Amino acid sequence: MRKRNRDVTMSEGSGTQPLLRRLSLVALVATIGVLIGAGVTNAAHTPLTALIDGGTVSGSPSQEEQAAVAQGYTVTVVSAATWASMTQAQFEAYALLVIGDPHCSGTSQTAAANAAVWAPAVMGTTPPGNRVLIGTDPVFHDSGYLSSRATIIRDGLKFAGKQPGTTGLYFDASCSGGGGAVQTALTMLSTGSGAWTADNSPPCGGSVSLIAFEPSFGPPDTLTTASLQGWGCSVHESWPTFPTDWSALAVATDTASHPTCGVDPGTGLSACGEAYILIAGSSIVVTSGSIALTPPDATNPTGTTHTVTAHVTSTTGGSTPVPLVGRLVTFTVTGQNAGAVGVCSPVDCKTDANGEVTFTYTDTNGAGDDTIKASFTDDAGSLQSATAQKHWVGSAATATPTATPIPTVTPTPTATMTPGCGNGIVESSLGETCDPPGSVVGLCGQPCRSDCTFCGDGVVQSADPDLEMCDDGNCVECNLRPPRPINGDKCNNSCKLLMCHDPSRITFRDGLDVFQFHGKLVPSERGMVDFNFGGSEVAIRLTTTGQNLVFETSVPAGAIEALTRGSFRYKNAGAKQDGGIYKLHARLSGGAYRVTAIAYGDLSGAAADMVTYVTIGGREWTVHGLWKRTGAGWSFNFNNLLP
């Protein structure tokens, strides 16, 4: 539903409520803010409300508006003139502020001109609102808000608005250049040390790479390097330097300078360049081949202290890491305790003979999550960073900080805590890899299961293939071109066997509909492909993400014919009339099986977001992605792959 007048447009998502209920929510938020007392919140701000500067977007509704409504936001769109005239209190009434991409234009400079008014709405809470900065024009290059190239829009909005009780910011600089009023606004949106510098004309070649991860950019709508690169002009502005409370999510790798480095969470490959997509907030995971933080994830009672250790190494001249001594490491805390000051050991924050330095700080703002970032400058002049996550839960028996010296080790759980899953402490001796259940954990942002394990912890937790067929502990899957596993990967991000390349199609007909499947099944130790395995059947199933069955069919056990050179085939002419698999062919190629099938049946329940399952002898391969509506039915290719 959309409401219009001369200056304001409102779009109501599924989370819209009547005015009386909205006023009740405002009162409730204000009351909660008083009861908590541990931090400052925007008490007048209503959850799931977004404000878009209409001068910075294109289309009606814009892609940014469509994506926000799909996420449940009630969206208000105002003109550039109204945006410029609003007060700080008016901006604070929204959970999310949006400066978008007007099809490659410079209007973000105009939107940034009154940042002295709206930036305090973002930064005036504890913790501040999440911020995402984008130095490109996705709307100009994508084919709609559900397309692969628009993933940065969908996930960027999700990240910016995720902190309760705050006003987040989605800021697309589009084609305006990163200096001027934009750079002034960015300074107001920062609390860390260091300064912003802008590169207004980076190369337009489209060579980019992700170098960080945050759960909002992960499953079920994962942002990948493939979805960002090769746009013809993937980068319009970049920022060679930036304050320490910001982290580079992606870099342009073809720039003249390479001041920022990291590891692509999807491929595991290192990349350096100028940052052009940056984020500030909590839950950010950054890794590097030269610096690591331990523990990478920890949970402790509120009001206590926490210590992390930075390990700084170099592989110059060989593959074995060598400790770097005397390197200055900068530590920055964002999230619940944003800007917290701690103590280093050694006290000058320079690495010791083992290439290590510790950092200890105290939680003073109560329950919540922190991201701790450690950075140093390597011999090439590039910034190397790594992060760790800290979760503050409950309260200690006496949670008020004292004047006693800060310890240099992370405190262990007190004796009053009950061991076991659900106490917020990861107890590896009990087989736990996460705690508490329901929390988002791991590099791929997977949920912690009820038994305090998660898909992505690197351990196959059960012999039950319905739970996990595999677990390689990474976010690596398939290259798009050519369609093959990255670095020999054999497990997908749902801990099922990996399937690459699936240009499938559904065609609606007056009689039975047609499903054409084409997949590349990757064998693994627990999932060797054998179409004659135990005389078992081969099944193909298609479901929505909500597990509503769309289509299911199978080939009877023993009906598949073995050919030469590892090939198999099956044909049933009667399937055209009766339904089922009409043709199936499998051929071993490059260590994987190329499987094609044509099946007939009722596919009227097909939807945009579906999962394809192929089961052979009880071993299951899956692929998940967004399908595109066509005039004759639906089509899917790996450009729209989802975890």
Short mmCIF file of all heavy atoms in Angstrom, two decimals, residues 456-485:
data_model
loop_
_atom_site.label_atom_id
_atom_site.label_comp_id
_atom_site.label_asym_id
_atom_site.label_seq_id
_atom_site.Cartn_x
_atom_site.Cartn_y
_atom_site.Cartn_z
N GLY A 456 29.15 -25.05 9.64
CA GLY A 456 30.24 -24.13 9.37
C GLY A 456 31.32 -24.17 10.43
O GLY A 456 32.32 -23.46 10.34
N ASP A 457 31.14 -25.03 11.46
CA ASP A 457 32.15 -25.12 12.52
C ASP A 457 33.27 -26.08 12.16
O ASP A 457 34.21 -26.28 12.94
CB ASP A 457 31.51 -25.51 13.86
CG ASP A 457 30.75 -26.84 13.82
OD1 ASP A 457 30.93 -27.60 12.84
OD2 ASP A 457 29.98 -27.10 14.75
N GLY A 458 33.20 -26.70 10.97
CA GLY A 458 34.27 -27.58 10.52
C GLY A 458 34.18 -28.99 11.04
O GLY A 458 35.08 -29.80 10.81
N VAL A 459 33.09 -29.32 11.74
CA VAL A 459 32.92 -30.66 12.31
C VAL A 459 31.59 -31.22 11.82
O VAL A 459 30.55 -30.56 11.96
CB VAL A 459 32.92 -30.62 13.85
CG1 VAL A 459 32.73 -32.02 14.41
CG2 VAL A 459 34.21 -30.00 14.36
N VAL A 460 31.61 -32.42 11.24
CA VAL A 460 30.36 -33.09 10.87
C VAL A 460 29.73 -33.58 12.16
O VAL A 460 30.21 -34.52 12.79
CB VAL A 460 30.61 -34.25 9.89
CG1 VAL A 460 29.29 -34.94 9.55
CG2 VAL A 460 31.27 -33.73 8.61
N GLN A 461 28.64 -32.95 12.57
CA GLN A 461 28.12 -33.14 13.92
C GLN A 461 27.33 -34.42 14.11
O GLN A 461 27.10 -34.85 15.22
CB GLN A 461 27.23 -31.95 14.30
CG GLN A 461 27.95 -30.62 14.26
CD GLN A 461 29.01 -30.49 15.34
OE1 GLN A 461 29.05 -31.28 16.28
NE2 GLN A 461 29.86 -29.49 15.22
N SER A 462 26.86 -35.03 13.00
CA SER A 462 26.00 -36.19 13.16
C SER A 462 26.16 -37.13 11.99
O SER A 462 26.47 -36.71 10.88
CB SER A 462 24.53 -35.74 13.28
OG SER A 462 23.66 -36.83 13.23
N ALA A 463 25.94 -38.40 12.24
CA ALA A 463 25.94 -39.37 11.15
C ALA A 463 24.66 -39.26 10.33
O ALA A 463 24.55 -39.86 9.27
CB ALA A 463 26.07 -40.78 11.71
N ASP A 464 23.70 -38.48 10.81
CA ASP A 464 22.44 -38.30 10.11
C ASP A 464 22.63 -37.35 8.94
O ASP A 464 22.85 -36.15 9.15
CB ASP A 464 21.40 -37.75 11.08
CG ASP A 464 20.05 -37.54 10.41
OD1 ASP A 464 19.90 -37.91 9.23
OD2 ASP A 464 19.14 -36.99 11.07
N PRO A 465 22.54 -37.83 7.69
CA PRO A 465 22.77 -36.94 6.55
C PRO A 465 21.72 -35.86 6.42
O PRO A 465 21.94 -34.87 5.73
CB PRO A 465 22.76 -37.90 5.36
CG PRO A 465 21.96 -39.07 5.80
CD PRO A 465 22.25 -39.21 7.27
N ASP A 466 20.55 -36.01 7.07
CA ASP A 466 19.55 -34.96 7.01
C ASP A 466 20.01 -33.72 7.76
O ASP A 466 19.54 -32.61 7.50
CB ASP A 466 18.22 -35.45 7.61
CG ASP A 466 17.53 -36.47 6.71
OD1 ASP A 466 17.81 -36.45 5.49
OD2 ASP A 466 16.73 -37.27 7.23
N LEU A 467 20.92 -33.88 8.73
CA LEU A 467 21.45 -32.74 9.47
C LEU A 467 22.68 -32.18 8.76
O LEU A 467 22.71 -31.00 8.42
CB LEU A 467 21.82 -33.16 10.89
CG LEU A 467 22.38 -32.04 11.79
CD1 LEU A 467 21.33 -30.96 11.99
CD2 LEU A 467 22.82 -32.61 13.13
N GLU A 468 23.69 -33.00 8.54
CA GLU A 468 24.90 -32.57 7.86
C GLU A 468 25.47 -33.72 7.04
O GLU A 468 25.67 -34.81 7.57
CB GLU A 468 25.97 -32.09 8.86
CG GLU A 468 25.67 -30.77 9.52
CD GLU A 468 26.86 -30.24 10.33
OE1 GLU A 468 27.87 -30.97 10.44
OE2 GLU A 468 26.78 -29.12 10.81
N MET A 469 25.70 -33.47 5.78
CA MET A 469 26.43 -34.44 4.96
C MET A 469 27.93 -34.16 5.01
O MET A 469 28.75 -35.04 4.77
CB MET A 469 25.96 -34.36 3.51
CG MET A 469 24.66 -35.10 3.22
SD MET A 469 24.80 -36.90 3.37
CE MET A 469 26.08 -37.28 2.18
N CYS A 470 28.28 -32.90 5.30
CA CYS A 470 29.67 -32.47 5.30
C CYS A 470 29.75 -31.16 6.06
O CYS A 470 28.73 -30.54 6.36
CB CYS A 470 30.19 -32.29 3.86
SG CYS A 470 29.15 -31.18 2.86
N ASP A 471 30.96 -30.73 6.40
CA ASP A 471 31.17 -29.43 7.05
C ASP A 471 32.64 -29.09 6.92
O ASP A 471 33.49 -29.67 7.60
CB ASP A 471 30.75 -29.48 8.52
CG ASP A 471 30.65 -28.08 9.14
OD1 ASP A 471 31.37 -27.19 8.67
OD2 ASP A 471 29.84 -27.90 10.06
N ASP A 472 32.95 -28.16 6.02
CA ASP A 472 34.35 -27.81 5.78
C ASP A 472 34.76 -26.50 6.44
O ASP A 472 35.89 -26.03 6.27
CB ASP A 472 34.66 -27.76 4.28
CG ASP A 472 33.71 -26.85 3.51
OD1 ASP A 472 32.99 -26.06 4.17
OD2 ASP A 472 33.69 -26.92 2.28
N GLY A 473 33.82 -25.87 7.18
CA GLY A 473 34.17 -24.69 7.95
C GLY A 473 34.51 -23.46 7.14
O GLY A 473 35.17 -22.55 7.65
N ASN A 474 34.07 -23.38 5.88
CA ASN A 474 34.33 -22.17 5.10
C ASN A 474 33.09 -21.75 4.34
O ASN A 474 32.05 -22.41 4.39
CB ASN A 474 35.51 -22.38 4.14
CG ASN A 474 35.25 -23.44 3.08
OD1 ASN A 474 34.17 -23.51 2.51
ND2 ASN A 474 36.25 -24.27 2.82
N CYS A 475 33.19 -20.61 3.65
CA CYS A 475 32.07 -20.10 2.86
C CYS A 475 32.32 -20.26 1.37
O CYS A 475 31.71 -19.60 0.53
CB CYS A 475 31.83 -18.62 3.16
SG CYS A 475 31.24 -18.31 4.83
N VAL A 476 33.26 -21.13 1.02
CA VAL A 476 33.63 -21.31 -0.38
C VAL A 476 32.67 -22.29 -1.04
O VAL A 476 32.29 -23.30 -0.45
CB VAL A 476 35.09 -21.84 -0.48
CG1 VAL A 476 35.45 -22.17 -1.90
CG2 VAL A 476 36.05 -20.81 0.09
N GLU A 477 32.29 -22.00 -2.28
CA GLU A 477 31.46 -22.93 -3.03
C GLU A 477 31.98 -23.05 -4.46
O GLU A 477 33.00 -23.68 -4.68
CB GLU A 477 29.99 -22.51 -2.99
CG GLU A 477 29.34 -22.74 -1.63
CD GLU A 477 27.83 -22.63 -1.65
OE1 GLU A 477 27.26 -22.20 -2.67
OE2 GLU A 477 27.20 -22.96 -0.63
N CYS A 478 31.29 -22.43 -5.42
CA CYS A 478 31.61 -22.63 -6.83
C CYS A 478 32.01 -21.34 -7.52
O CYS A 478 31.49 -20.26 -7.20
CB CYS A 478 30.41 -23.21 -7.58
SG CYS A 478 29.78 -24.76 -6.92
N ASN A 479 32.92 -21.44 -8.48
CA ASN A 479 33.13 -20.38 -9.45
C ASN A 479 31.94 -20.34 -10.39
O ASN A 479 31.32 -21.37 -10.67
CB ASN A 479 34.40 -20.62 -10.27
CG ASN A 479 35.65 -20.25 -9.50
OD1 ASN A 479 35.73 -19.19 -8.91
ND2 ASN A 479 36.63 -21.14 -9.53
N LEU A 480 31.63 -19.14 -10.91
CA LEU A 480 30.56 -19.05 -11.89
C LEU A 480 31.05 -19.46 -13.27
O LEU A 480 30.37 -20.16 -14.01
CB LEU A 480 30.00 -17.63 -11.91
CG LEU A 480 29.33 -17.15 -10.62
CD1 LEU A 480 28.79 -15.75 -10.81
CD2 LEU A 480 28.21 -18.09 -10.22
N ARG A 481 32.23 -18.99 -13.64
CA ARG A 481 32.79 -19.29 -14.96
C ARG A 481 34.26 -19.59 -14.80
O ARG A 481 35.01 -18.69 -14.43
CB ARG A 481 32.59 -18.10 -15.91
CG ARG A 481 31.13 -17.80 -16.19
CD ARG A 481 31.00 -16.61 -17.14
NE ARG A 481 29.62 -16.27 -17.38
CZ ARG A 481 28.91 -15.48 -16.58
NH1 ARG A 481 29.47 -14.98 -15.51
NH2 ARG A 481 27.66 -15.20 -16.86
N PRO A 482 34.71 -20.83 -15.08
CA PRO A 482 33.87 -21.98 -15.40
C PRO A 482 33.17 -22.50 -14.16
O PRO A 482 33.64 -22.28 -13.04
CB PRO A 482 34.88 -23.00 -15.94
CG PRO A 482 36.15 -22.66 -15.24
CD PRO A 482 36.15 -21.17 -15.10
N PRO A 483 32.04 -23.21 -14.32
CA PRO A 483 31.27 -23.68 -13.17
C PRO A 483 31.93 -24.88 -12.51
O PRO A 483 31.64 -26.03 -12.83
CB PRO A 483 29.92 -24.05 -13.79
CG PRO A 483 30.25 -24.42 -15.20
CD PRO A 483 31.38 -23.52 -15.60
N ARG A 484 32.81 -24.61 -11.55
CA ARG A 484 33.50 -25.70 -10.87
C ARG A 484 33.80 -25.28 -9.44
O ARG A 484 33.80 -24.08 -9.13
CB ARG A 484 34.78 -26.06 -11.60
CG ARG A 484 35.80 -24.94 -11.64
CD ARG A 484 36.97 -25.32 -12.55
NE ARG A 484 37.98 -24.26 -12.58
CZ ARG A 484 38.97 -24.22 -13.47
NH1 ARG A 484 39.07 -25.16 -14.38
NH2 ARG A 484 39.84 -23.24 -13.43
N PRO A 485 34.06 -26.24 -8.56
CA PRO A 485 34.33 -25.91 -7.15
C PRO A 485 35.56 -25.02 -7.01
O PRO A 485 36.53 -25.15 -7.76
CB PRO A 485 34.57 -27.27 -6.49
CG PRO A 485 33.94 -28.25 -7.42
CD PRO A 485 34.08 -27.69 -8.80
#
